[in-house]
Amino acid sequence: MTTATISGATISGHRGLQMDEPLIFELDSPGSSGVDLPAPPKTKAKTRLGAVPVRESVGLPGLSEPEVVRHYTRLSQKNYAIDAGFYPLGSCTMKHNPRLNEKMARLPGFADVHPLQPMTTIQGALELIDTLAGWLKALTGMKAVAMSPAAGAHGEMCGMMAIAAAHDHRGGPARKRVLVPESAHGTNPATAAALGMVVEAIPATADGRIDLAAFKAKLGFDVAAVMLTNPNTCGLFERDVRELADAVHQAGAFLYCDGANFNAIIGRVRVADLGVDAMHINLHKTFSTPHGGGGPGSGPVVFSQALAPFVPLPTIIHDDDGYRLVECQDEDEGTALAFGRMKAFHGQMGVFVRALAYTLSHGADGLHQASADAVLSANYVLAKLKGTLNAPFEGPCMHEALFDDKSLKDTGVTTLDIAKALIDEGFHPMTVYFPLVVHGAMLIEPTESESKRSIDQFIATMIGLAERAKEDAASFHAAPTLAPRRRLDETTAARKPILRWKTR
Amino acid sequence: MRYLPLTEADRREMLAVIGAASVAELYRDVPEMARLPGPIAGLPNHMGELEVERLLSSMAAKNVTAGSVPFFLGGGAYRHHIPATVDSLIQRGEFLTSYTPYQPEIAQGTLQFLFEFQSQVALLTGMEVANASMYDGATACAEAVMMANRTTKRSRALLAGNLHPHYRDTTATLARFNGFEIVAGAPAPSDRENLIDKIDTTISCVVVQSPDVFGHVHNLTALAAACQAKGALLIAVVTEAVSLGLLTPPGAMGADIVVGEGQSLGIPLGYGGPHLGLFAAKEKYIRQMPGRLIGQTVDADGRRGWVLTLSTREQHIRREKATSNICTNSGLCALAFSMHLTLLGETGFTDLARLNHAKAVQLAEKLGDLKGLRILNDGFFNEFTIDVGRRANKVVNKLAKRGILAGVPAARLFPDSDGLTDLLVVAATECTTEADMDALARGLGELL
């Protein structure tokens, strides 16, 4: 490692608050530990391990508690976060993560209970899940909900499994084709393929929406489902969704909706009235639960009447005897057609608590306002920036504004360069190069959590960068220069993978 | 509405810039019949912190917490002590409120801890590489079987009868729709299952858990050799990560893939989630692995750094040709796991494992003296199965009324299997006191 080439290089390698932090393995003081444990109890048998020998060593480093605290504090200071600044990552809904959610999730009555305790000892946990489930049904107008999926893609899998199970149950010829718009998230085709289905892309029209004629031409009695993202990843509402849904249903197929963009319409649009049969809801987006640098999430799926019987296990029943979990197929409990199980235990309880705390905080009126503010902010960004950047599609947009790289043509500056320059300006870049249907996409989702002051600052920065791009491309290619690291060599990382620490 | 910064004046000004008369106009592409003109009727309106706290606290108060009673449940989720440092540090906003590290220059914190996590998981399991986490142990297990199918180009998986039934069911559910076959053994609480004879050249993988769902510990060496002879992969499942501080790791016994549940380190029971899927494999299989991988590299100034790598396996690049549809995984849980393990270190982790085993041995010695009760295990780590000679779920319910959470009835785990009704799976950890054990022994003694 050399710091000699960096301007302002220091003797220590640290730069002010930016500490150059080694790996834990390089901080090893053999024998050190940050935990003091009691001595084991005296027993007659020394061990009762059976046929497996005791291992000699693991190879973990030893650190004291202060060293551990410092290590992770320093690492944290190398991260951008929604707490620290504007994070307009399109399709990711990086909204404010209230700390009340954290406090509630840590109540021992939720955090320190075991998933296999007797039902009588866990009534409050089941009540919480059932209450949140009730909200999700009320907010979408849908008939049933599966709470167990662990994230959005897992929810997609759950929804598509229910669809496959419904087709199985009906009988008839096999339906293996799934139609997916070109602009869809990669998880959609990946999910369908994992379930043995054949994915076919539906092209978009010039106005950024699904090409209904092309879609109808592909529709047939061998189609299992259509996976539609609505609002779509161009930030637009698929206004033909009713006609599309009718055609899907006439063909005996189902309409799956990717609910990643639910934040635009929560409390303002009844999903059931759009003809949707299944939709996952990312609690870690729309319901403010923290993304944690890549999870955990939670992806409950709401279902129409037609798919309700196939909801996976477990389900919760609430009657005169209180709440109970149904964990196996049972005619009397209405789970005879349940298609199976998505994961161990009953779902992402810790995420449910946070999501319900958020839902109750906002209430029906607050959610109605939150989606409006999200859409208003995105349209404001679109209106303010469309004179500077090229907006490929007419507005109004929903909760995110899409631009392409047309205005950067001949400047030598790319979408990626803009993203890296934004880092130096103290912003997290927008989503770049997605959706794939426009060239050099920049997808900006401000969410309802940003003040007008914050959005204006971002807009002014974008306008300033666009100006600078015309005369000083080199500064963009060098960016970022002010972040904890400059651009990283991803090609070498993939060619010669170093995926773990090893002793030299 | 404390979470919304825009003022009415801001909203008016922004609408004017947009050139819209009202927000409703922005929703004009939505079919009119699906639009809601106002807040949904019949649902409560917004609440202050105090009201939300009151409401949720009243729900939480209806649950019996593990820490308030003598507690012996395991079965894939274990109550361990979490150092205060872990929960405090994972709540730093820079960890808690960041996204997947798509912009590595400003996500080195997340990327470095995930690289350390991958290294730790590889060391624990005795494998060459590990990914940056899956949802949980059960989904990791199902993904491992898919990976084995791809690698071997076969489509029949052999599942040990003593695999946790939720792992079995999660895998079987995927099998049903993906179109591969599952051959699952019946639960064998007395540990008499011959897997080796069932392996032939049509089997893609053998999935075996150790310690298994009844607590039996397995030496996988012979099984690994049998798999290799028939061209099948051995997938080892670990639901109690602390056991890896004492037992020879699956990697050293010849496993090709190791998956597991990481909840035991740093993550609360949380009524079953979110937990942490662990996924490790031999290096030669990395291009078939699901999930995120973090790799080491350098930046433009030659300084060491980390990035997401080998993304051509993943859905956002490969779409329908991806190795998995997984996107969001369990980043913050991986941080908690890694931090707890870093605090423990080599001596702390191995001592914790020894302490857990000693507690379970102590419990077995106390319960073993009871009349009408039989321990089924020869070898175990911190969990074993007892035959209580009557319906275990009734015993558990009676003891719950007396304020003891006695264990997991085998019939709760395997509701469709016969012959397990009298069996109870009990676990002890460093949290279990001698007084807790005496309370359970007394309670069982009075009922049996």
Side-chain angles (χ1 to χ4, degrees):
Chain A
M1 201 178 336
T2 165
T3 55
T5 56
I6 309 161
S7 65
T10 57
I11 297 163
S12 63
H14 304 325
R15 286 192 285 184
L17 275 177
Q18 279 304 324
M19 308 292 182
D20 206 41
E21 182 63 9
L23 291 165
I24 48 172
F25 302 94
E26 295 156 349
L27 297 168
D28 181 20
S29 302
S32 281
S33 178
V35 175
D36 293 318
L37 292 166
K42 294 217 171 1
T43 51
K44 286 176 218 156
K46 198 165 165 238
T47 61
R48 290 174 70 169
L49 291 172
V52 178
V54 169
R55 79 187 291 176
E56 279 172 18
S57 70
V58 183
L60 298 169
L63 284 78
S64 65
E65 183 178 304
E67 292 170 293
V68 174
V69 170
R70 192 160 288 168
H71 176 72
Y72 288 103
T73 302
R74 287 176 170 190
L75 290 193
S76 77
Q77 289 172 325
K78 297 173 193 295
N79 271 3
Y80 199 90
I82 185 69
D83 274 4
F86 190 43
Y87 213 127
L89 203 55
S91 241
C92 300
T93 312
M94 290 298 282
K95 63 167 73 175
H96 172 58
N97 301 155
R99 288 311 193 276
L100 173 64
N101 299 359
E102 298 305 310
K103 185 177 178 187
M104 293 299 94
R106 283 168 173 78
L107 290 171
F110 298 133
D112 191 26
V113 289
H114 191 284
L116 300 174
Q117 282 181 217
M119 308 281 178
T120 51
T121 69
I122 213 76
Q123 288 294 298
L126 297 175
E127 182 184 349
L128 183 131
I129 301 173
D130 199 52
T131 305
L132 180 63
W135 271 95
L136 298 180
K137 285 188 282 185
L139 287 167
T140 56
M142 301 289 275
K143 291 288 180 244
V145 59
M147 295 300 286
S148 60
H154 205 218
E156 287 174 31
M157 187 163 264
C158 173
M160 293 301 285
M161 283 176 169
I163 287 170
H167 286 309
D168 278 357
H169 185 67
R170 277 188 196 163
R175 289 172 179 267
K176 286 285 175 198
R177 289 169 64 218
V178 175
L179 307 182
V180 183
E182 283 173 343
S183 59
H185 298 113
T187 50
N188 292 183
T191 298
L195 303 183
M197 296 169 175
V198 181
V199 179
E200 282 178 44
I202 317 170
T205 56
D207 73 344
R209 292 173 173 86
I210 202 165
D211 184 334
L212 206 59
F215 158 72
K216 282 184 178 169
K218 283 182 181 285
L219 200 56
F221 290 96
D222 55 352
V223 169
V226 176
M227 297 182 83
L228 185 73
T229 306
N230 202 13
N232 71 21
T233 63
C234 298
L236 304 170
F237 198 87
E238 294 283 359
R239 52 172 102 86
D240 295 328
V241 59
R242 283 287 332 179
E243 195 180 341
L244 182 139
D246 289 344
V248 167
H249 293 146
Q250 269 163 29
F254 293 98
L255 177 57
Y256 185 86
C257 182
D258 182 327
N261 295 336
F262 189 46
N263 201 48
I265 59 172
I266 184 170
R268 290 206 160 244
V269 177
R270 257 174 64 96
V271 172
D273 292 342
L274 302 174
V276 169
D277 293 294
M279 181 181 88
H280 76 262
I281 297 170
N282 304 72
L283 298 184
H284 50 291
K285 294 180 180 175
T286 313
F287 288 79
S288 84
T289 76
H291 203 277
S298 175
V301 184
V302 287
F303 289 104
S304 64
Q305 189 70 55
L307 293 178
F310 305 98
V311 167
L313 299 167
T315 61
I316 293 175
I317 289 183
H318 181 208
D319 59 21
D320 294 345
D321 299 330
Y323 295 89
R324 67 178 183 280
L325 276 169
V326 183
E327 296 174 292
C328 54
Q329 289 187 328
D330 186 334
E331 194 89 47
D332 297 336
E333 303 279 33
T335 56
L337 294 177
F339 73 69
R341 171 178 277 282
M342 296 301 300
K343 68 187 288 292
F345 309 123
H346 328 305
Q348 304 285 67
M349 181 68 175
V351 185
F352 298 158
V353 180
R354 290 170 174 89
L356 187 60
Y358 173 80
T359 306
L360 294 172
S361 293
H362 263 323
D365 56 339
L367 292 171
H368 189 73
Q369 185 65 54
S371 46
D373 283 0
V375 169
L376 178 66
S377 296
N379 276 286
Y380 181 67
V381 170
L382 183 64
K384 284 276 205 177
L385 285 182
K386 71 181 172 191
T388 304
L389 297 173
N390 185 56
F393 307 118
E394 269 298 302
C397 64
M398 297 307 288
H399 67 315
E400 49 196 354
L402 178 65
F403 300 94
D404 63 23
D405 61 2
K406 210 169 184 177
S407 66
L408 298 173
K409 204 167 168 258
D410 304 326
T411 61
V413 173
T414 64
T415 290
L416 185 69
D417 296 331
I418 295 281
K420 298 307 182 192
L422 272 173
I423 290 175
D424 277 342
E425 296 288 342
F427 295 98
H428 195 285
M430 66 293 273
T431 291
V432 290
Y433 300 105
F434 182 84
L436 309 172
V437 292
V438 303
H439 198 269
M442 291 177 254
L443 187 63
I444 302 171
E445 180 181 1
T447 85
E448 72 278 15
S449 312
E450 290 306 313
S451 66
K452 182 167 172 296
R453 184 182 303 117
S454 161
I455 298 171
D456 282 335
Q457 206 179 28
F458 173 76
I459 288 166
T461 304
M462 284 297 289
I463 293 170
L465 288 177
E467 281 304 309
R468 208 176 80 202
K470 290 174 193 159
E471 52 221 37
D472 182 16
S475 71
F476 283 85
H477 301 152
T481 57
L482 305 173
R485 283 293 178 272
R486 296 189 56 210
R487 287 196 209 193
L488 290 130
D489 183 352
E490 301 190 13
T491 312
T492 307
R495 252 185 222 149
K496 296 178 189 162
I498 303 173
L499 304 175
R500 59 173 289 191
W501 175 85
K502 274 183 192 151
T503 35
R504 294 213 172 100
Chain B
M1 290 179 206
R2 60 190 181 277
Y3 301 154
L4 300 178
L6 294 185
T7 64
E8 273 309 317
D10 290 336
R11 290 178 185 126
R12 278 195 301 274
E13 206 181 314
M14 291 162 82
L15 280 170
V17 169
I18 296 162
S22 69
V23 166
E25 232 181 278
L26 303 175
Y27 284 87
R28 64 175 178 244
D29 289 331
V30 179
E32 184 126 32
M33 47 109 52
R35 284 186 231 163
L36 296 161
I40 297 172
L43 295 173
N45 281 338
H46 66 278
M47 292 179 194
E49 277 209 16
L50 180 61
E51 295 159 284
V52 176
E53 276 198 50
R54 209 173 265 151
L55 217 157
L56 292 181
S57 299
S58 76
M59 286 187 201
K62 292 174 193 165
N63 302 323
V64 177
T65 61
S68 66
V69 291
F71 177 86
F72 302 91
L73 281 84
Y78 302 87
R79 184 166 193 271
H80 291 285
H81 179 257
I82 302 172
T85 300
V86 173
D87 194 47
S88 172
L89 284 178
I90 66 166
Q91 287 191 76
R92 286 188 65 93
E94 300 91 333
F95 288 136
L96 187 73
T97 75
S98 59
Y99 202 75
T100 299
Y102 289 137
Q103 297 289 344
E105 300 88 347
I106 45 171
Q108 286 297 305
T110 295
L111 288 159
Q112 185 172 337
F113 85 64
L114 286 173
F115 183 82
E116 292 172 346
F117 168 80
Q118 288 177 180
S119 307
Q120 288 170 319
V121 173
L123 286 167
L124 256 59
T125 55
M127 301 302 285
E128 288 162 343
V129 289
N131 78 6
S133 83
M134 307 296 284
Y135 308 130
D136 72 353
T139 55
C141 177
E143 291 266 13
V145 171
M146 298 260 283
M147 174 172 152
N149 291 344
R150 285 194 299 274
T151 304
T152 60
K153 300 191 169 59
R154 298 176 187 176
S155 57
R156 274 179 91 215
L158 177 59
L159 273 47
N162 288 358
L163 175 66
H164 193 294
H166 290 182
Y167 289 50
R168 179 199 64 195
D169 292 350
T170 303
T171 308
T173 300
L174 193 56
R176 173 184 167 187
F177 297 104
N178 180 271
F180 63 92
E181 196 186 334
I182 291 285
V183 185
S190 300
D191 187 23
R192 289 193 189 83
E193 184 182 30
N194 186 340
L195 284 169
I196 290 178
D197 288 353
K198 295 184 191 165
I199 307 170
D200 60 35
T201 53
T202 68
I203 297 283
S204 66
C205 59
V206 178
V207 183
V208 61
Q209 179 180 327
S210 179
D212 70 26
V213 74
F214 295 103
H216 302 291
V217 173
H218 298 278
N219 191 323
L220 305 178
T221 313
L223 189 59
C227 283
Q228 202 176 11
K230 295 282 167 34
L233 302 191
L234 177 61
I235 299 173
V237 175
V238 180
T239 63
E240 170 50 293
V242 174
S243 69
L244 296 170
L246 184 58
L247 300 171
T248 299
M253 296 188 281
D256 295 288
I257 303 172
V258 181
V259 291
E261 176 51 63
Q263 173 271 329
S264 286
L265 290 166
I267 301 162
L269 289 169
Y271 199 52
H275 289 174
L276 169 68
L278 308 177
F279 200 114
K282 288 181 177 165
E283 194 161 11
K284 63 181 172 181
Y285 301 129
I286 48 173
R287 282 171 207 274
Q288 288 299 334
M289 270 174 89
R292 309 265 188 224
L293 286 167
I294 312 303
Q296 185 176 308
T297 187
V298 291
D299 79 353
D301 289 330
R303 297 181 2 139
R304 183 172 66 174
W306 289 273
V307 291
L308 290 168
T309 194
L310 299 179
S311 303
T312 50
R313 302 163 298 111
E314 292 190 74
Q315 46 77 26
H316 62 283
I317 308 287
R318 288 280 276 184
R319 300 177 78 83
E320 65 267 26
K321 294 189 180 66
T323 56
S324 165
N325 76 335
I326 194 167
C327 182
T328 290
N329 41 83
S330 303
L332 199 71
C333 299
L335 175 62
F337 175 99
S338 186
M339 216 180 261
H340 192 177
L341 203 50
T342 303
L343 277 165
L344 287 163
E346 179 77 12
T347 56
F349 184 54
T350 52
D351 285 353
L352 179 65
R354 280 170 207 286
L355 178 56
N356 269 258
H357 183 57
K359 289 282 187 180
V361 170
Q362 187 183 24
L363 179 64
E365 287 175 356
K366 283 181 189 286
L367 298 185
D369 293 339
L370 293 174
K371 280 210 177 91
L373 183 152
R374 188 167 61 91
I375 295 173
L376 271 56
N377 302 59
D378 291 329
F380 54 85
F381 173 64
N382 67 353
E383 184 171 32
F384 54 88
T385 301
I386 55 178
D387 184 335
V388 293
R390 64 203 64 213
R391 291 189 167 272
N393 66 336
K394 287 197 173 157
V395 171
V396 164
N397 289 338
K398 280 183 185 162
L399 288 173
K401 282 192 186 125
R402 296 186 188 191
I404 298 168
L405 293 176
V408 181
R412 171 93 190 255
L413 293 164
F414 296 96
D416 300 326
S417 296
D418 299 327
L420 304 175
T421 51
D422 295 356
L423 304 184
L424 183 64
V425 185
V426 292
T429 72
E430 75 281 4
C431 297
T432 316
T433 65
E434 186 162 10
D436 292 340
M437 297 181 198
D438 289 337
L440 178 64
R442 214 165 34 242
L444 282 171
E446 285 166 24
L447 288 176
L448 305 185

